[in-house]
Amino acid sequence: MFRETGLEACMGPELLRKKRTGAARSASFLAWASLLVFAFAGGLYSTDVQAQLEVSGSLIGQRPLLTAEHGWLVQGRNGLEYAPHGIGYSLMLLPAALCGAALG
């Protein structure tokens, strides 16, 4: 079992749980980043991936929801263009979209 030492013994169960949760979040972020580096190796290899990245950007407010501007697109009833792919890949690209938005 986990043995508490030093300040951790004084933190109490609530603060200790929050500390462990922060470590789990960091590990989760690093796992996603590793997966993206492994899958893409720093480049977008098709217009489909570019459209899916743009859909990821729409999920964080960069454009109207689920729309894209480049790649193979389908025109919707409202005149906006949508990527004809499932949302799963765009969700996987969400950390990349967040990094891109942060870098400008």
Side-chain angles (χ1 to χ4, degrees):
M1 182 144 178
F2 178 72
R3 183 173 181 234
E4 298 170 355
T5 59
L7 289 176
E8 293 174 347
C10 300
M11 291 174 75
E14 182 66 28
L15 290 175
L16 191 57
R17 188 173 73 238
K18 285 182 181 181
K19 181 178 177 183
R20 290 180 187 159
T21 303
R25 287 182 186 156
S26 296
S28 178
F29 176 77
L30 288 175
W32 275 108
S34 299
L35 181 63
L36 288 173
V37 168
F38 177 74
F40 297 109
L44 301 177
Y45 295 106
S46 72
T47 57
D48 289 343
V49 176
Q50 185 176 5
Q52 291 162 342
L53 181 61
E54 289 178 357
V55 170
S56 296
S58 78
L59 295 173
I60 60 172
Q62 291 180 333
R63 62 180 38 79
L65 189 61
L66 303 176
T67 63
E69 296 176 359
H70 301 93
W72 179 43
L73 305 172
V74 176
Q75 189 165 1
R77 290 183 183 179
N78 55 5
L80 296 174
E81 293 183 321
Y82 298 87
H85 304 288
I87 192 74
Y89 211 53
S90 294
L91 290 175
M92 190 174 102
L93 290 171
L94 202 52
L98 288 168
C99 288
L103 295 175

